Amino acid sequence: MITEELVGKLIADMESDLIERTISIKEDKLGPAVCALSNDFPNHRKSGYILLGVNDDGSLAGMTWGDDELQKIGGVKTNGNVLPQPSIIVSPVFKFKEGEVVVIEVKPSSYPPVRFDGRCWIRIGPRRGKATIEEEKILIERRAGYAKTYDLVPAIGSGIGDLSIDPFKSTYLPLAIDKDTLNENGRSTEEQLASLRFYDIKEKCPTNAGILLFGVNPEFYLPGAYIQYVKFSGAEMTSNVDFEKKFSGPLITDLTLIDDFIKINIIKERPVRVDSFQEKVARNYAYWALRELIMNAIMHRNYESNAPVYIYEFTNRIEIVNPGGLYGDVNVRNFPFASDYRNIVLAEAMKILKYVNRFNYGIQRAKEELRENGNPEPVFDLTLVTKFKVTVGINKQW
């Protein structure tokens, strides 16, 4: 817990490489600071602290902090520019005679290297700077000893030949890594993949995330790694099947195909009379909301299961079912306002590829979009221990 006594000690401590002082909350200042402390390059395995409102020499800057500033500070966790998502705690405002202070506690990441806007930052003593290739290698090697999510586990038996390297280099790499780092020489393809958690240097094979995103045949190593769409002619599972489609390729291409499929094959429009003189266009489902819920199912599903993600379209609703119930810190009491990630690498990749706009906000926005479109409130079945299910009713005017 961050107390006034602790804040006083942090302000007085001028030697620690776990402390950064600043008077700026601009993203290009705060983001690298959070990133550097998350990477914990000295390997303290302790929280680092950013003191807002404190000058470099330890004197207070006479600042005050309002609600708008505090929201901007908290946004460094949810805006998706620091990846993997950092674990931070923002303190209340501490009021001193010389000015107000806010403290950000940054916990060390179990999944380094952490990047801000594609750049890896570290802190050694008083220096904060961009990590060199060798410093990044240290972070990559250290990651192997930390707790792993399933997508970080090496896909034993696979090799570099099981990945499609062209889309990784031409599409993903320029989005994930800044230009200066890309222009540096000396990184093999395996090292480039490993720096983004798609390859395990120690085991000399792709990770499950690498297979999912870029695998030539993801199902060979992960049998349930596909999305199954089924359209029924009626409102029951016993109705005839009108159409079905399976998406089983690498997610780097399948995510685009699924997005297009939603727009072209599921979303329908037709004119609806508002009054005797006017008509408006009605949609059976809100495109963005449906896309968000399906992308959430792909991102949060349990890939250890042999079951796929199911998308069932009935005449009056759509059901999305994915293996894996609520995960980690998320439970029936705090859903959907809490977040945790079963597949941390996949979540980061989907943010980089712009299929996730902002962490811990998608379901709330999806509800708003559905309401504005005339759809009923989506129903989340949180009682299924091994599955997660959401039902979206058709537009009431349809």
Side-chain angles (χ1 to χ4, degrees):
M1 183 176 179
I2 303 173
T3 63
E4 187 170 333
E5 180 182 2
L6 175 61
V7 175
K9 291 179 179 178
L10 294 173
I11 292 172
D13 188 347
M14 299 298 293
E15 301 298 328
S16 176
D17 52 10
L18 291 171
I19 299 171
E20 176 147 348
R21 302 165 183 81
T22 183
I23 59 174
S24 174
I25 61 171
K26 290 183 178 178
E27 192 175 20
D28 60 353
K29 299 291 184 184
L30 208 52
V34 169
C35 176
L37 291 173
S38 291
N39 276 319
D40 184 28
F41 189 77
N43 204 23
H44 293 301
R45 306 308 296 159
K46 296 178 180 178
S47 294
Y49 298 91
I50 301 171
L51 308 181
L52 301 172
V54 182
N55 294 313
D56 289 340
D57 62 3
S59 62
L60 272 60
M63 301 182 72
T64 58
W65 302 100
D67 290 341
D68 289 344
E69 288 84 5
L70 293 175
Q71 286 183 353
K72 288 180 182 178
I73 294 166
V76 74
K77 175 172 179 160
T78 58
N79 61 21
N81 291 327
V82 179
L83 293 170
Q85 188 179 21
S87 177
I88 67 172
I89 298 172
V90 180
S91 78
V93 177
F94 292 97
K95 299 180 186 246
F96 298 93
K97 188 169 83 170
E98 300 87 354
E100 296 180 353
V101 176
V102 173
V103 178
I104 304 175
E105 180 181 356
V106 183
K107 297 184 180 296
S109 175
S110 296
Y111 312 104
V114 179
R115 301 178 188 277
F116 168 72
D117 202 20
R119 296 172 174 84
C120 178
W121 296 85
I122 61 172
R123 188 174 183 87
I124 304 176
R127 178 180 78 87
R128 169 166 53 86
K130 186 179 167 186
T132 65
I133 294 175
E134 293 304 316
E135 288 167 336
E136 272 199 45
K137 285 181 180 177
I138 292 172
L139 292 173
I140 292 167
E141 291 170 359
R142 186 182 297 163
R143 182 180 70 221
Y146 296 161
K148 292 179 177 179
T149 56
Y150 184 69
D151 55 352
L152 264 172
V153 172
I156 301 298
S158 68
I160 193 74
D162 291 299
L163 302 183
S164 297
I165 301 302
D166 283 347
F168 168 71
K169 291 200 170 185
S170 63
T171 302
Y172 192 87
L173 204 55
L175 293 173
I177 304 295
D178 69 289
K179 291 182 180 179
D180 292 340
T181 303
L182 283 178
N183 290 333
E184 293 175 358
N185 296 320
R187 293 182 188 228
S188 66
T189 299
E190 288 84 352
E191 287 171 335
Q192 290 177 328
L193 286 161
S195 72
L196 294 165
R197 306 168 189 82
F198 300 127
Y199 192 85
D200 190 294
I201 293 292
K202 182 180 178 181
E203 299 293 341
K204 295 183 171 55
C205 68
T207 61
N208 288 330
I211 295 294
L212 286 168
L213 264 296
F214 309 106
V216 176
N217 181 13
E219 275 190 273
F220 184 82
Y221 293 100
L222 302 168
Y226 65 96
I227 298 95
Q228 184 71 53
Y229 167 84
V230 183
K231 183 175 183 179
F232 295 93
S233 60
E236 303 298 332
M237 195 77 74
T238 53
S239 306
N240 291 330
V241 174
D242 280 347
F243 180 73
E244 57 184 316
K245 183 173 178 61
K246 179 180 180 180
F247 299 89
S248 58
L251 288 178
I252 188 73
T253 53
D254 264 5
L255 292 175
T256 300
L257 294 176
I258 292 167
D259 190 9
D260 290 340
F261 185 83
I262 295 169
K263 284 187 283 190
I264 297 169
N265 294 81
I266 298 181
I267 303 300
K268 299 291 188 293
E269 296 181 349
R270 72 182 185 194
V272 174
R273 188 171 296 281
V274 179
D275 54 37
S276 57
F277 300 102
Q278 291 183 321
E279 289 182 342
K280 72 173 185 178
V281 174
R283 295 177 179 84
N284 56 348
Y285 298 100
Y287 156 70
W288 191 95
L290 198 59
R291 173 187 185 269
E292 179 70 16
L293 294 172
I294 291 172
M295 293 298 169
N296 266 3
I298 295 169
M299 181 170 67
H300 290 291
R301 64 152 292 173
N302 176 10
Y303 282 95
E304 294 183 79
S305 169
N306 291 333
V309 172
Y310 285 107
I311 305 168
Y312 296 127
E313 183 175 4
F314 299 92
T315 52
N316 62 346
R317 70 191 186 281
I318 287 178
E319 295 180 359
I320 304 164
V321 184
N322 61 272
L326 298 179
Y327 177 79
D329 291 336
V330 184
N331 55 54
V332 294
R333 294 180 298 277
N334 60 24
F335 175 87
F337 302 103
S339 65
D340 208 338
Y341 293 89
R342 179 180 275 112
N343 305 300
I344 194 162
V345 187
L346 186 54
E348 175 180 343
M350 292 180 72
K351 174 65 178 67
I352 287 170
L353 293 169
K354 304 189 187 307
Y355 291 102
V356 175
N357 293 321
R358 182 181 169 191
F359 290 123
N360 198 29
Y361 179 66
I363 288 180
Q364 296 171 67
R365 183 181 163 190
K367 287 184 174 182
E368 295 172 7
E369 295 276 342
L370 289 167
R371 184 168 54 252
E372 291 175 3
N373 190 64
N375 299 95
E377 180 91 357
V379 177
F380 297 92
D381 189 343
L382 307 181
T383 64
L384 304 173
V385 177
T386 61
K387 297 179 182 178
F388 183 91
K389 177 182 176 182
V390 56
T391 301
V392 182
I394 201 165
N395 185 335
K396 299 166 187 174
Q397 294 181 305
W398 199 256

